């Protein structure tokens, strides 16, 4: 049986697949203890499923898991000020790209993640917790997980 990672790998340009660190704008997320095998698509690289003119998040992380499910994780890394509405739009764009790559029939855990540095003011943090800030993937709404720059992605995968 072909897993999620191999299914996605066959559909994307190898030029947008990254195997190194996940780092943007001076913010990094660590892949230590992340599920394996995994694949990360850099939406800023040539061949990305999203155009450079489109609103987009930074990465799409997909992974197979030990059980029958996999992981689909749109990621936005932000060092500076966070604007909730922009973050939601960026992560939703990543989710839409993932919907084209991952069949509804595949059982996956969907987790949109914002990795941020610096401060996030209370109003923006509150906005990210509102119902209209959830990200939709194949008809299911999911809260945005928040991680500080330098954290391990696996922390954002937990319920």
């Amino acid at each position: 049986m072909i897993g999620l990672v191999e299914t996605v790998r066959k559909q994307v340009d190898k030029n947008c697949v990254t195997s190194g660190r996940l780092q943007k704008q001076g913010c990094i997320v660590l892949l230590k203890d992340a599920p394996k095998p995994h694949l990360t698509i850099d939406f800023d690289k040539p061949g990305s499923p999203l155009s450079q003119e489109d609103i987009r998040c930074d990465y799409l992380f997909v992974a197979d898991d030990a059980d029958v499910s996999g992981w689909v994780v749109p990621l936005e890394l932000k060092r500076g000020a966070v604007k909730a509405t922009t973050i939601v739009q960026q992560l939703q764009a990543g989710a839409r790209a993932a919907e084209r790559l991952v069949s509804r029939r595949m059982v996956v855990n969907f987790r949109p993640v914002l990795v941020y540095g610096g401060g996030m003011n209370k109003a923006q943090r509150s906005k990210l917790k509102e119902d209209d800030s959830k990200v939709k993937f194949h008809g299911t709404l999911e809260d945005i997980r928040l991680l500080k720059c330098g954290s391990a992605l696996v922390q954002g995968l937990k319920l």
Side-chain angles (χ1 to χ4, degrees):
M1 183 170 113
I2 296 176
L4 176 62
V5 170
E6 201 52 41
T7 299
V8 172
R9 185 184 313 273
K10 288 179 178 180
Q11 298 178 71
V12 297
D13 187 316
K14 66 181 180 212
N15 293 319
C16 67
V17 174
T18 184
S19 59
R21 357 171 61 174
L22 303 186
Q23 183 173 353
K24 299 279 175 146
Q25 300 180 4
C27 184
I28 188 170
V29 64
L30 306 173
L31 294 179
K32 182 179 188 293
D33 299 326
K36 289 183 181 175
H38 61 254
L39 172 80
T40 307
I41 299 167
D42 185 336
F43 287 125
D44 291 334
K45 288 196 173 180
S48 158
L50 295 175
S51 160
Q52 298 305 300
E53 291 80 40
D54 291 337
I55 291 175
R56 63 192 181 283
C57 58
D58 292 315
Y59 297 104
L60 180 65
F61 175 89
V62 294
D64 290 315
D65 209 342
D67 61 13
V68 295
S69 62
W71 292 97
V72 174
V73 184
L75 287 159
E76 176 63 21
L77 281 63
K78 187 69 88 184
R79 181 51 134 185
V82 171
K83 185 169 184 202
T85 54
T86 302
I87 296 301
V88 173
Q89 291 172 347
Q90 290 172 303
L91 291 171
Q92 188 61 65
R96 281 191 300 274
E99 286 176 331
R100 293 189 299 270
L101 298 168
V102 178
S103 165
R104 283 183 176 272
R105 290 176 294 217
M106 295 191 92
V107 178
V108 298
N109 300 293
F110 176 70
R111 298 286 188 277
V113 175
L114 166 63
V115 184
Y116 69 99
M120 184 185 322
N121 70 43
K122 189 175 182 178
Q124 295 304 309
R125 186 181 292 277
S126 294
K127 177 72 177 153
L128 285 172
K129 292 181 181 178
E130 293 175 6
D131 283 345
D132 64 347
S133 291
K134 293 180 187 267
V135 177
K136 184 189 273 187
F137 178 73
H138 288 315
T140 302
L141 293 171
E142 189 67 38
D143 290 325
I144 296 172
R145 305 308 201 278
L146 303 177
L147 291 177
K148 288 281 200 171
C149 291
S151 297
L153 176 60
V154 71
Q155 296 298 343
L157 304 182
K158 297 177 181 176
L159 287 177

